[in-house]
Amino acid sequence: MGVSERDGRGAREERREAMCPHRLVLEHVTSRWGVLVLDALLDRPYRFSELRREVGKVGTVSEKMLAQTLRTLERDGFVHRDAKPVIPPRVDYSITELGREAAEQVRALARWTGARMADVQRARAAYDAARETSTAV
Amino acid sequence: MGVSERDGRGAREERREAMCPHRLVLEHVTSRWGVLVLDALLDRPYRFSELRREVGKVGTVSEKMLAQTLRTLERDGFVHRDAKPVIPPRVDYSITELGREAAEQVRALARWTGARMADVQRARAAYDAARETSTAV
DNA sequence: CTGTATCCTACGCGATACTG
DNA sequence: CAGTATCGCGTAGGATACAG
């Protein structure tokens, strides 16, 4: 196998890493599953499968994506991974101080989004209505 | 071709729209170009090409993606589009009140990311170092 | 249980060409 | 200038199988 897929991070991402590093970090914490993982871990530590179920309430996460998301967040220093050498394996994920700061902002944004949902939907309705009348089907 | 590409929104997105609507809005404002567009418009209105250049400082944005991003944000009520019926065409984009609220939070998060970049890079170095020693190349 | 390796498809997104 | 239409590549990401 090539070097490109040596870990979870895409090849594209690495190329972009050079020009604007913090943009990538932003994308990590606001990524599809990153948001949900951080939000969950803000409340308490989770085990892998537990997290999978919790996050999965919003839409199925494959093991692959969850693992990838966790690895990225761990590498960035947002999540702490505690693998206990027992059988059966048990791994606990928790949030770090750095991660907490990020997670709180992400959660705030998520909350705001929820709070303003009505406005957004009104705007969408208006937008769609305007297009429907002008664009004769 | 099918109905799927009838507008800029992806097909995948529409399927997901049913289950957790505000997650999608969150993804719109934190999307690759959404962040940059909102950030730019927070300072002042922009014309299309102007915006393309401004946003393009971070990485080339195709006309297609910029148009799509703008349409999405407009539909959600974050951006106002003012098309003047003149030749040559002139379209000004500006942020709405709703958009301003979102943009400010996004900008705060982006700033935080920039501020904490050193910590992140230290964490990454530690992570990579740990892996290198355990994984004999 | 906690992952990793592999395969495969959908689709994000950039490039190009064309329209008003 | 401000888009839309079309094409093509590469990747995100789900499903599955397997390993420790």
Side-chain angles (χ1 to χ4, degrees), chain A residues 20-81:
Chain A
C20 194
H22 76 273
R23 271 305 312 282
L24 284 179
V25 177
L26 184 61
E27 286 179 22
H28 292 166
V29 311
T30 60
S31 72
R32 186 106 152 265
W33 307 117
V35 175
L36 299 172
V37 166
L38 288 174
D39 193 69
L41 292 180
L42 200 50
D43 291 330
R44 67 172 177 87
Y46 275 86
R47 298 181 56 179
F48 187 84
S49 295
E50 227 181 0
L51 202 48
R52 185 157 138 82
R53 271 190 301 278
E54 177 63 27
V55 161
K57 285 177 184 167
V58 177
T60 312
V61 214
S62 59
E63 294 165 10
K64 179 186 162 186
M65 287 317 295
L66 182 57
Q68 195 175 111
T69 301
L70 285 167
R71 227 183 308 125
T72 303
L73 293 176
E74 187 199 354
R75 195 174 103 101
D76 284 351
F78 297 140
V79 161
H80 175 67
R81 179 174 184 274

Side-chain angles (χ1 to χ4, degrees), chain B residues 8-66:
Chain B
R9 298 184 298 137
R12 165 80 122 314
E13 172 161 337
E14 271 177 66
R15 254 176 280 124
R16 285 175 43 209
E17 187 148 11
M19 54 177 209
C20 194
H22 76 273
R23 272 304 311 283
L24 286 178
V25 177
L26 183 61
E27 286 180 22
H28 293 167
V29 311
T30 60
S31 71
R32 187 109 152 264
W33 307 118
V35 175
L36 298 172
V37 166
L38 287 174
D39 193 68
L41 292 179
L42 201 48
D43 291 329
R44 67 174 178 87
Y46 275 86
R47 297 182 56 180
F48 188 84
S49 295
E50 225 181 1
L51 202 48
R52 185 154 138 79
R53 271 189 301 277
E54 177 64 26
V55 161
K57 287 178 185 170
V58 177
T60 312
V61 58
S62 59
E63 294 165 9
K64 179 186 164 187
M65 286 316 296
L66 182 58

Side-chain angles (χ1 to χ4, degrees), chain A residues 114-131:
Chain A
R116 292 299 197 174
M117 204 53 210
D119 299 82
V120 169
Q121 277 170 340
R122 214 173 310 122
R124 283 183 183 167
Y127 180 92
D128 292 345
R131 299 225 106 196

Side-chain angles (χ1 to χ4, degrees), chain A residues 112, chain B residues 38 42 77-79 95-104:
Chain A
W112 177 87
Chain B
L38 287 174
L42 201 48
F78 296 139
V79 162
I95 203 153
T96 63
E97 250 333 292
L98 191 62
R100 176 171 299 275
E101 290 181 33
E104 272 162 2

